Amino acid sequence: MTERSGSLSLSDVAREAGVSLTTASRALNDSYGVSASTKAKVLATAQRLDYVVSPDAVRLAGGRTRRVALVVPHIERWFFGDIVNGLTAVLSSADLDLLLYQVDSAADRLDFFTRLPARRKVDAVVVVGFPVAPREQERLALMGVDIVAAGGQSADYPYVCIDDYQAGRQAVDHLVELGHSRIAMIAAHDPDQPGWPARSGRSEAYVDAIAAKGIDVDDVLVRDVDWGGLNAASAMASILDAVPDNPPTAVFAHSDELALGAIRTLHRRGLRVPEDVSVIGIDDHPLAELTDLTTVHQSAREQGRIAARLVIEALAVRAGAGTAPGSVTAPTKLLVRSTTGAPRGAVRRG
Amino acid sequence: MTERSGSLSLSDVAREAGVSLTTASRALNDSYGVSASTKAKVLATAQRLDYVVSPDAVRLAGGRTRRVALVVPHIERWFFGDIVNGLTAVLSSADLDLLLYQVDSAADRLDFFTRLPARRKVDAVVVVGFPVAPREQERLALMGVDIVAAGGQSADYPYVCIDDYQAGRQAVDHLVELGHSRIAMIAAHDPDQPGWPARSGRSEAYVDAIAAKGIDVDDVLVRDVDWGGLNAASAMASILDAVPDNPPTAVFAHSDELALGAIRTLHRRGLRVPEDVSVIGIDDHPLAELTDLTTVHQSAREQGRIAARLVIEALAVRAGAGTAPGSVTAPTKLLVRSTTGAPRGAVRRG
DNA sequence: CTGAAAGCGCTTACAG
DNA sequence: CTGAAAGCGCTTACAG
């Protein structure tokens, strides 16, 4: 029952500094109407006493909570984990706490969106990796919290994400430039997050890049799978089985994990990478370096950091400072390693 | 400024139910001294009105926050991410919120341990993957919060983790039983988390398993590296270079990522796995399945779930119910896939 | 079993 | 520029 372990309150600071509670509060909050000298005195006292504000009291009294909710699916996956990593780093340096809500399934989402709004627990929410449905947007709007999207766009919220079409072009154009014309694609989608439109940018890029070469897309070379390396492995096998006499010379996978799955199947079928088949992914997953996978790099961590900054800016605006945050598109970059090369024919020609 | 978006308070429920604020509070909190009928009436009213308690008010008034802090390093790594996944799943079903604190460096830790205690923001803290130093234990004790350790033991806190020695024995014994006697080991440690003693259990197991066969450990076959596949790749190269005429016939890596790094070097040196060298890891990382890696399986997610239950039990005890949580050792299991086999000699003998 | 009252630590009109 | 006072939504002695 040793509840209060020595932590002192604002009134302690006020008394010690010789001012009223009101003034102490204003000084600490940079409110208007406090002389410079008084403010300095209060700040110094607070510092000396190691005073730390009680977020709960602030919230109850109508102030900000200094808490932000992070709504994220599949936190165990590299991309999301790295976003969280970057996010927490800058959020904590701004003295903001992070409430984590994992929403893998549709049920989780419903639960989150119906529960959070009940009592405002946070000042802002960061939605990672999935689009917010119209009804969910309404609930969020009702709360009056600031919202930021990371790893994708959503509604009109400020966002940070890569340009999926651009990333796709970087990957497929690389294959095309190498001389490939028979290029397979393994596209991914998350069955629990239907309607995520961004991913399709990668598919559009594939179609365009190939069309630019005057070739029609051969649907038999395209597979759409649930997320996961194993599914990609099956998809690759399925493609190979469908065109035994005329296999693709290259594979564009929507992600590195998918690419790794495809490579596994290729190896099992006795095909060499890249001699027989080139493979490229997107992400630059930590394992991509370990497996010498050619890929299109993106930094999830940096996107997390940017999302945090977007939140901080939005909070500042609300507090009457700064300007509304603008969305940012994170850069992507082709990283040629050892899983792509010129197709056989091209080599022979040399 | 539309602050309160229709969320109603306990007094609304009390009025509606025709009881006092006090009684309403007691009914909702299962406190003693409320007739069954009154309690039922209050509960029904609260339900009907969609009442949700304000955690901040509760906390301020001296109640519980229903928040738990998770202190975890490297959340982007599979093991930690999966622990978080399991943890959030059961915590949220118990209506507990999770505050995430990432502590990768020593500076992060200092920051966390000095800041959190200032104002109790949580009822419990789950420490994942690193030991709590004595001074940190003191700060935590001062807060009067419940503490649970996951992914390792720490002080006298209830914990959930695997038996590292046991896991190590399962891995090395497998190699020994296959007929290997020249077994290398790539051990890992996190430079940012010195003093984590659990890992050494894996090393002890290596020594014992080999000694049990009457063989002395050859230090030239052992490397201790910073966490990460690339470091393991270098370590493997270093081992091979050290004993060019008498290379190991098997490698025991402390984790799957390390094992994958070792395999990469083996392949680059033209060595086949498992024909020339067997490799085994520990974890059963998602990629282990994709790479057919033989390993010792452990479920990080399950450990996360168990940690959450430990927290819930501890909170119940504090509320006067249930019994103190007991620590649990999560099971591990050898999973033979395709990276281990009998050594050449043994094969020839057959 | 039930209720009136004080208090948790702040912020914010409202008056100087 | 500064302060006394009310109130945020709860819990918990203290009295019935």
PDB file of all heavy atoms in Angstrom, chain A residues 262-292:
ATOM      1  N   ALA A 262       9.914 -18.425 -53.686  1.00  0.00           N
ATOM      2  CA  ALA A 262      10.008 -18.799 -55.102  1.00  0.00           C
ATOM      3  C   ALA A 262      11.354 -19.465 -55.379  1.00  0.00           C
ATOM      4  O   ALA A 262      11.437 -20.480 -56.083  1.00  0.00           O
ATOM      5  CB  ALA A 262       9.848 -17.553 -55.971  1.00  0.00           C
ATOM      6  N   ILE A 263      12.389 -18.901 -54.785  1.00  0.00           N
ATOM      7  CA  ILE A 263      13.735 -19.453 -54.987  1.00  0.00           C
ATOM      8  C   ILE A 263      13.829 -20.876 -54.453  1.00  0.00           C
ATOM      9  O   ILE A 263      14.448 -21.746 -55.058  1.00  0.00           O
ATOM     10  CB  ILE A 263      14.784 -18.550 -54.290  1.00  0.00           C
ATOM     11  CG1 ILE A 263      14.910 -17.236 -55.070  1.00  0.00           C
ATOM     12  CG2 ILE A 263      16.129 -19.260 -54.219  1.00  0.00           C
ATOM     13  CD1 ILE A 263      15.831 -16.219 -54.425  1.00  0.00           C
ATOM     14  N   ARG A 264      13.191 -21.124 -53.362  1.00  0.00           N
ATOM     15  CA  ARG A 264      13.213 -22.462 -52.795  1.00  0.00           C
ATOM     16  C   ARG A 264      12.662 -23.475 -53.798  1.00  0.00           C
ATOM     17  O   ARG A 264      13.237 -24.536 -54.029  1.00  0.00           O
ATOM     18  CB  ARG A 264      12.361 -22.481 -51.532  1.00  0.00           C
ATOM     19  CG  ARG A 264      12.392 -23.825 -50.845  1.00  0.00           C
ATOM     20  CD  ARG A 264      10.984 -24.243 -50.491  1.00  0.00           C
ATOM     21  NE  ARG A 264      10.931 -24.624 -49.081  1.00  0.00           N
ATOM     22  CZ  ARG A 264       9.883 -25.212 -48.529  1.00  0.00           C
ATOM     23  NH1 ARG A 264       8.796 -25.463 -49.242  1.00  0.00           N
ATOM     24  NH2 ARG A 264       9.906 -25.536 -47.271  1.00  0.00           N
ATOM     25  N   THR A 265      11.538 -23.130 -54.399  1.00  0.00           N
ATOM     26  CA  THR A 265      10.940 -24.028 -55.387  1.00  0.00           C
ATOM     27  C   THR A 265      11.850 -24.194 -56.602  1.00  0.00           C
ATOM     28  O   THR A 265      12.040 -25.304 -57.105  1.00  0.00           O
ATOM     29  CB  THR A 265       9.578 -23.465 -55.854  1.00  0.00           C
ATOM     30  OG1 THR A 265       8.676 -23.484 -54.752  1.00  0.00           O
ATOM     31  CG2 THR A 265       9.012 -24.305 -56.995  1.00  0.00           C
ATOM     32  N   LEU A 266      12.406 -23.091 -57.043  1.00  0.00           N
ATOM     33  CA  LEU A 266      13.296 -23.136 -58.202  1.00  0.00           C
ATOM     34  C   LEU A 266      14.443 -24.113 -57.930  1.00  0.00           C
ATOM     35  O   LEU A 266      14.765 -24.979 -58.757  1.00  0.00           O
ATOM     36  CB  LEU A 266      13.851 -21.726 -58.453  1.00  0.00           C
ATOM     37  CG  LEU A 266      13.270 -20.842 -59.584  1.00  0.00           C
ATOM     38  CD1 LEU A 266      11.987 -21.389 -60.177  1.00  0.00           C
ATOM     39  CD2 LEU A 266      13.093 -19.421 -59.098  1.00  0.00           C
ATOM     40  N   HIS A 267      15.043 -23.976 -56.752  1.00  0.00           N
ATOM     41  CA  HIS A 267      16.159 -24.853 -56.394  1.00  0.00           C
ATOM     42  C   HIS A 267      15.724 -26.315 -56.370  1.00  0.00           C
ATOM     43  O   HIS A 267      16.414 -27.193 -56.851  1.00  0.00           O
ATOM     44  CB  HIS A 267      16.715 -24.467 -55.018  1.00  0.00           C
ATOM     45  CG  HIS A 267      17.588 -23.253 -55.057  1.00  0.00           C
ATOM     46  ND1 HIS A 267      18.394 -22.945 -56.128  1.00  0.00           N
ATOM     47  CD2 HIS A 267      17.789 -22.263 -54.147  1.00  0.00           C
ATOM     48  CE1 HIS A 267      19.053 -21.829 -55.890  1.00  0.00           C
ATOM     49  NE2 HIS A 267      18.694 -21.375 -54.689  1.00  0.00           N
ATOM     50  N   ARG A 268      14.564 -26.541 -55.798  1.00  0.00           N
ATOM     51  CA  ARG A 268      14.083 -27.920 -55.703  1.00  0.00           C
ATOM     52  C   ARG A 268      13.821 -28.533 -57.067  1.00  0.00           C
ATOM     53  O   ARG A 268      13.856 -29.741 -57.242  1.00  0.00           O
ATOM     54  CB  ARG A 268      12.798 -27.963 -54.870  1.00  0.00           C
ATOM     55  CG  ARG A 268      13.069 -27.695 -53.415  1.00  0.00           C
ATOM     56  CD  ARG A 268      11.860 -28.072 -52.574  1.00  0.00           C
ATOM     57  NE  ARG A 268      12.195 -27.941 -51.159  1.00  0.00           N
ATOM     58  CZ  ARG A 268      11.342 -28.184 -50.167  1.00  0.00           C
ATOM     59  NH1 ARG A 268      10.110 -28.578 -50.455  1.00  0.00           N
ATOM     60  NH2 ARG A 268      11.718 -28.065 -48.923  1.00  0.00           N
ATOM     61  N   ARG A 269      13.497 -27.663 -58.012  1.00  0.00           N
ATOM     62  CA  ARG A 269      13.243 -28.163 -59.361  1.00  0.00           C
ATOM     63  C   ARG A 269      14.558 -28.265 -60.155  1.00  0.00           C
ATOM     64  O   ARG A 269      14.560 -28.485 -61.353  1.00  0.00           O
ATOM     65  CB  ARG A 269      12.301 -27.201 -60.091  1.00  0.00           C
ATOM     66  CG  ARG A 269      10.901 -27.115 -59.490  1.00  0.00           C
ATOM     67  CD  ARG A 269      10.125 -28.421 -59.680  1.00  0.00           C
ATOM     68  NE  ARG A 269       8.800 -28.296 -59.081  1.00  0.00           N
ATOM     69  CZ  ARG A 269       7.680 -28.136 -59.790  1.00  0.00           C
ATOM     70  NH1 ARG A 269       7.718 -28.057 -61.099  1.00  0.00           N
ATOM     71  NH2 ARG A 269       6.521 -28.046 -59.161  1.00  0.00           N
ATOM     72  N   GLY A 270      15.649 -28.001 -59.477  1.00  0.00           N
ATOM     73  CA  GLY A 270      16.936 -28.096 -60.139  1.00  0.00           C
ATOM     74  C   GLY A 270      17.267 -26.894 -61.014  1.00  0.00           C
ATOM     75  O   GLY A 270      18.174 -26.940 -61.845  1.00  0.00           O
ATOM     76  N   LEU A 271      16.554 -25.827 -60.820  1.00  0.00           N
ATOM     77  CA  LEU A 271      16.819 -24.612 -61.608  1.00  0.00           C
ATOM     78  C   LEU A 271      17.795 -23.726 -60.819  1.00  0.00           C
ATOM     79  O   LEU A 271      17.686 -23.581 -59.612  1.00  0.00           O
ATOM     80  CB  LEU A 271      15.509 -23.846 -61.821  1.00  0.00           C
ATOM     81  CG  LEU A 271      14.728 -24.022 -63.132  1.00  0.00           C
ATOM     82  CD1 LEU A 271      15.209 -25.197 -63.967  1.00  0.00           C
ATOM     83  CD2 LEU A 271      13.239 -24.126 -62.852  1.00  0.00           C
ATOM     84  N   ARG A 272      18.722 -23.144 -61.524  1.00  0.00           N
ATOM     85  CA  ARG A 272      19.676 -22.278 -60.845  1.00  0.00           C
ATOM     86  C   ARG A 272      19.237 -20.811 -60.911  1.00  0.00           C
ATOM     87  O   ARG A 272      18.651 -20.375 -61.901  1.00  0.00           O
ATOM     88  CB  ARG A 272      21.062 -22.431 -61.479  1.00  0.00           C
ATOM     89  CG  ARG A 272      21.753 -23.757 -61.142  1.00  0.00           C
ATOM     90  CD  ARG A 272      22.912 -23.984 -62.088  1.00  0.00           C
ATOM     91  NE  ARG A 272      22.451 -23.892 -63.467  1.00  0.00           N
ATOM     92  CZ  ARG A 272      23.259 -23.714 -64.514  1.00  0.00           C
ATOM     93  NH1 ARG A 272      24.555 -23.623 -64.328  1.00  0.00           N
ATOM     94  NH2 ARG A 272      22.769 -23.631 -65.741  1.00  0.00           N
ATOM     95  N   VAL A 273      19.589 -20.103 -59.844  1.00  0.00           N
ATOM     96  CA  VAL A 273      19.282 -18.669 -59.779  1.00  0.00           C
ATOM     97  C   VAL A 273      20.608 -17.936 -59.668  1.00  0.00           C
ATOM     98  O   VAL A 273      21.399 -18.230 -58.772  1.00  0.00           O
ATOM     99  CB  VAL A 273      18.415 -18.360 -58.534  1.00  0.00           C
ATOM    100  CG1 VAL A 273      18.171 -16.866 -58.410  1.00  0.00           C
ATOM    101  CG2 VAL A 273      17.090 -19.123 -58.594  1.00  0.00           C
ATOM    102  N   PRO A 274      20.948 -17.052 -60.568  1.00  0.00           N
ATOM    103  CA  PRO A 274      20.084 -16.521 -61.624  1.00  0.00           C
ATOM    104  C   PRO A 274      20.319 -17.163 -63.004  1.00  0.00           C
ATOM    105  O   PRO A 274      19.690 -16.734 -63.962  1.00  0.00           O
ATOM    106  CB  PRO A 274      20.506 -15.053 -61.659  1.00  0.00           C
ATOM    107  CG  PRO A 274      21.987 -15.122 -61.422  1.00  0.00           C
ATOM    108  CD  PRO A 274      22.182 -16.265 -60.447  1.00  0.00           C
ATOM    109  N   GLU A 275      21.226 -18.142 -63.084  1.00  0.00           N
ATOM    110  CA  GLU A 275      21.537 -18.708 -64.400  1.00  0.00           C
ATOM    111  C   GLU A 275      20.304 -19.124 -65.196  1.00  0.00           C
ATOM    112  O   GLU A 275      20.182 -18.791 -66.386  1.00  0.00           O
ATOM    113  CB  GLU A 275      22.483 -19.900 -64.261  1.00  0.00           C
ATOM    114  CG  GLU A 275      23.876 -19.538 -63.776  1.00  0.00           C
ATOM    115  CD  GLU A 275      23.936 -19.362 -62.263  1.00  0.00           C
ATOM    116  OE1 GLU A 275      22.863 -19.426 -61.609  1.00  0.00           O
ATOM    117  OE2 GLU A 275      25.035 -19.127 -61.737  1.00  0.00           O
ATOM    118  N   ASP A 276      19.415 -19.874 -64.545  1.00  0.00           N
ATOM    119  CA  ASP A 276      18.221 -20.314 -65.275  1.00  0.00           C
ATOM    120  C   ASP A 276      17.050 -19.338 -65.104  1.00  0.00           C
ATOM    121  O   ASP A 276      16.317 -19.064 -66.044  1.00  0.00           O
ATOM    122  CB  ASP A 276      17.798 -21.707 -64.788  1.00  0.00           C
ATOM    123  CG  ASP A 276      18.897 -22.738 -65.026  1.00  0.00           C
ATOM    124  OD1 ASP A 276      19.461 -22.746 -66.139  1.00  0.00           O
ATOM    125  OD2 ASP A 276      19.213 -23.502 -64.097  1.00  0.00           O
ATOM    126  N   VAL A 277      16.901 -18.858 -63.901  1.00  0.00           N
ATOM    127  CA  VAL A 277      15.796 -17.932 -63.617  1.00  0.00           C
ATOM    128  C   VAL A 277      16.284 -16.816 -62.685  1.00  0.00           C
ATOM    129  O   VAL A 277      16.937 -17.082 -61.681  1.00  0.00           O
ATOM    130  CB  VAL A 277      14.614 -18.669 -62.921  1.00  0.00           C
ATOM    131  CG1 VAL A 277      13.464 -17.708 -62.692  1.00  0.00           C
ATOM    132  CG2 VAL A 277      14.160 -19.870 -63.745  1.00  0.00           C
ATOM    133  N   SER A 278      15.965 -15.587 -63.050  1.00  0.00           N
ATOM    134  CA  SER A 278      16.301 -14.452 -62.187  1.00  0.00           C
ATOM    135  C   SER A 278      15.133 -14.211 -61.239  1.00  0.00           C
ATOM    136  O   SER A 278      13.976 -14.438 -61.605  1.00  0.00           O
ATOM    137  CB  SER A 278      16.518 -13.187 -63.031  1.00  0.00           C
ATOM    138  OG  SER A 278      17.776 -13.214 -63.666  1.00  0.00           O
ATOM    139  N   VAL A 279      15.443 -13.737 -60.033  1.00  0.00           N
ATOM    140  CA  VAL A 279      14.377 -13.457 -59.072  1.00  0.00           C
ATOM    141  C   VAL A 279      14.657 -12.122 -58.386  1.00  0.00           C
ATOM    142  O   VAL A 279      15.780 -11.852 -57.964  1.00  0.00           O
ATOM    143  CB  VAL A 279      14.287 -14.560 -57.992  1.00  0.00           C
ATOM    144  CG1 VAL A 279      13.207 -14.208 -56.973  1.00  0.00           C
ATOM    145  CG2 VAL A 279      13.979 -15.918 -58.625  1.00  0.00           C
ATOM    146  N   ILE A 280      13.605 -11.306 -58.282  1.00  0.00           N
ATOM    147  CA  ILE A 280      13.753 -10.028 -57.590  1.00  0.00           C
ATOM    148  C   ILE A 280      12.557  -9.817 -56.663  1.00  0.00           C
ATOM    149  O   ILE A 280      11.444 -10.272 -56.963  1.00  0.00           O
ATOM    150  CB  ILE A 280      13.855  -8.844 -58.597  1.00  0.00           C
ATOM    151  CG1 ILE A 280      14.250  -7.553 -57.869  1.00  0.00           C
ATOM    152  CG2 ILE A 280      12.521  -8.657 -59.347  1.00  0.00           C
ATOM    153  CD1 ILE A 280      14.606  -6.415 -58.812  1.00  0.00           C
ATOM    154  N   GLY A 281      12.820  -9.170 -55.533  1.00  0.00           N
ATOM    155  CA  GLY A 281      11.742  -8.913 -54.578  1.00  0.00           C
ATOM    156  C   GLY A 281      11.633  -7.413 -54.314  1.00  0.00           C
ATOM    157  O   GLY A 281      12.164  -6.601 -55.062  1.00  0.00           O
ATOM    158  N   ILE A 282      10.928  -7.073 -53.239  1.00  0.00           N
ATOM    159  CA  ILE A 282      10.821  -5.681 -52.812  1.00  0.00           C
ATOM    160  C   ILE A 282      10.894  -5.703 -51.291  1.00  0.00           C
ATOM    161  O   ILE A 282      10.267  -6.565 -50.663  1.00  0.00           O
ATOM    162  CB  ILE A 282       9.469  -5.043 -53.227  1.00  0.00           C
ATOM    163  CG1 ILE A 282       9.442  -4.791 -54.726  1.00  0.00           C
ATOM    164  CG2 ILE A 282       9.238  -3.725 -52.473  1.00  0.00           C
ATOM    165  CD1 ILE A 282       8.163  -4.120 -55.220  1.00  0.00           C
ATOM    166  N   ASP A 283      11.631  -4.808 -50.725  1.00  0.00           N
ATOM    167  CA  ASP A 283      11.731  -4.625 -49.267  1.00  0.00           C
ATOM    168  C   ASP A 283      13.160  -4.372 -48.780  1.00  0.00           C
ATOM    169  O   ASP A 283      13.402  -3.457 -48.017  1.00  0.00           O
ATOM    170  CB  ASP A 283      11.206  -5.829 -48.468  1.00  0.00           C
ATOM    171  CG  ASP A 283       9.716  -5.726 -48.197  1.00  0.00           C
ATOM    172  OD1 ASP A 283       9.130  -4.665 -48.472  1.00  0.00           O
ATOM    173  OD2 ASP A 283       9.119  -6.725 -47.727  1.00  0.00           O
ATOM    174  N   ASP A 284      14.045  -5.286 -49.184  1.00  0.00           N
ATOM    175  CA  ASP A 284      15.370  -5.331 -48.581  1.00  0.00           C
ATOM    176  C   ASP A 284      15.225  -5.739 -47.131  1.00  0.00           C
ATOM    177  O   ASP A 284      15.686  -5.076 -46.207  1.00  0.00           O
ATOM    178  CB  ASP A 284      16.119  -3.999 -48.688  1.00  0.00           C
ATOM    179  CG  ASP A 284      17.613  -4.199 -48.463  1.00  0.00           C
ATOM    180  OD1 ASP A 284      18.088  -5.354 -48.555  1.00  0.00           O
ATOM    181  OD2 ASP A 284      18.315  -3.211 -48.190  1.00  0.00           O
ATOM    182  N   HIS A 285      14.562  -6.841 -46.970  1.00  0.00           N
ATOM    183  CA  HIS A 285      14.399  -7.529 -45.703  1.00  0.00           C
ATOM    184  C   HIS A 285      15.804  -7.895 -45.215  1.00  0.00           C
ATOM    185  O   HIS A 285      16.696  -8.103 -46.019  1.00  0.00           O
ATOM    186  CB  HIS A 285      13.577  -8.796 -45.997  1.00  0.00           C
ATOM    187  CG  HIS A 285      13.167  -9.585 -44.797  1.00  0.00           C
ATOM    188  ND1 HIS A 285      14.050 -10.314 -44.052  1.00  0.00           N
ATOM    189  CD2 HIS A 285      11.950  -9.782 -44.237  1.00  0.00           C
ATOM    190  CE1 HIS A 285      13.390 -10.929 -43.070  1.00  0.00           C
ATOM    191  NE2 HIS A 285      12.116 -10.614 -43.169  1.00  0.00           N
ATOM    192  N   PRO A 286      16.029  -7.949 -43.897  1.00  0.00           N
ATOM    193  CA  PRO A 286      17.364  -8.274 -43.390  1.00  0.00           C
ATOM    194  C   PRO A 286      17.930  -9.558 -44.021  1.00  0.00           C
ATOM    195  O   PRO A 286      19.126  -9.675 -44.250  1.00  0.00           O
ATOM    196  CB  PRO A 286      17.135  -8.455 -41.891  1.00  0.00           C
ATOM    197  CG  PRO A 286      15.872  -7.754 -41.580  1.00  0.00           C
ATOM    198  CD  PRO A 286      15.075  -7.648 -42.828  1.00  0.00           C
ATOM    199  N   LEU A 287      17.040 -10.497 -44.261  1.00  0.00           N
ATOM    200  CA  LEU A 287      17.488 -11.759 -44.839  1.00  0.00           C
ATOM    201  C   LEU A 287      17.856 -11.641 -46.314  1.00  0.00           C
ATOM    202  O   LEU A 287      18.508 -12.524 -46.876  1.00  0.00           O
ATOM    203  CB  LEU A 287      16.393 -12.820 -44.673  1.00  0.00           C
ATOM    204  CG  LEU A 287      16.651 -13.836 -43.564  1.00  0.00           C
ATOM    205  CD1 LEU A 287      17.757 -13.338 -42.629  1.00  0.00           C
ATOM    206  CD2 LEU A 287      15.412 -14.124 -42.777  1.00  0.00           C
ATOM    207  N   ALA A 288      17.448 -10.571 -46.956  1.00  0.00           N
ATOM    208  CA  ALA A 288      17.773 -10.393 -48.368  1.00  0.00           C
ATOM    209  C   ALA A 288      19.276 -10.260 -48.520  1.00  0.00           C
ATOM    210  O   ALA A 288      19.880 -10.806 -49.439  1.00  0.00           O
ATOM    211  CB  ALA A 288      17.072  -9.153 -48.911  1.00  0.00           C
ATOM    212  N   GLU A 289      19.881  -9.570 -47.599  1.00  0.00           N
ATOM    213  CA  GLU A 289      21.316  -9.405 -47.662  1.00  0.00           C
ATOM    214  C   GLU A 289      22.007 -10.747 -47.433  1.00  0.00           C
ATOM    215  O   GLU A 289      22.962 -11.102 -48.118  1.00  0.00           O
ATOM    216  CB  GLU A 289      21.772  -8.411 -46.581  1.00  0.00           C
ATOM    217  CG  GLU A 289      23.264  -8.194 -46.604  1.00  0.00           C
ATOM    218  CD  GLU A 289      23.702  -7.057 -45.686  1.00  0.00           C
ATOM    219  OE1 GLU A 289      22.922  -6.681 -44.792  1.00  0.00           O
ATOM    220  OE2 GLU A 289      24.819  -6.560 -45.881  1.00  0.00           O
ATOM    221  N   LEU A 290      21.468 -11.486 -46.490  1.00  0.00           N
ATOM    222  CA  LEU A 290      22.052 -12.786 -46.168  1.00  0.00           C
ATOM    223  C   LEU A 290      21.907 -13.783 -47.312  1.00  0.00           C
ATOM    224  O   LEU A 290      22.687 -14.726 -47.440  1.00  0.00           O
ATOM    225  CB  LEU A 290      21.348 -13.332 -44.914  1.00  0.00           C
ATOM    226  CG  LEU A 290      22.148 -14.269 -44.028  1.00  0.00           C
ATOM    227  CD1 LEU A 290      23.461 -13.636 -43.624  1.00  0.00           C
ATOM    228  CD2 LEU A 290      21.331 -14.636 -42.802  1.00  0.00           C
ATOM    229  N   THR A 291      20.904 -13.592 -48.115  1.00  0.00           N
ATOM    230  CA  THR A 291      20.678 -14.539 -49.213  1.00  0.00           C
ATOM    231  C   THR A 291      21.079 -13.944 -50.554  1.00  0.00           C
ATOM    232  O   THR A 291      20.790 -14.525 -51.591  1.00  0.00           O
ATOM    233  CB  THR A 291      19.186 -14.939 -49.261  1.00  0.00           C
ATOM    234  OG1 THR A 291      18.391 -13.746 -49.255  1.00  0.00           O
ATOM    235  CG2 THR A 291      18.812 -15.782 -48.069  1.00  0.00           C
ATOM    236  N   ASP A 292      21.715 -12.796 -50.534  1.00  0.00           N
ATOM    237  CA  ASP A 292      22.182 -12.162 -51.768  1.00  0.00           C
ATOM    238  C   ASP A 292      21.052 -11.885 -52.744  1.00  0.00           C
ATOM    239  O   ASP A 292      21.234 -11.967 -53.968  1.00  0.00           O
ATOM    240  CB  ASP A 292      23.228 -13.051 -52.455  1.00  0.00           C
ATOM    241  CG  ASP A 292      24.592 -12.869 -51.820  1.00  0.00           C
ATOM    242  OD1 ASP A 292      24.861 -11.758 -51.321  1.00  0.00           O
ATOM    243  OD2 ASP A 292      25.373 -13.819 -51.816  1.00  0.00           O
TER     244      ASP A 292
END
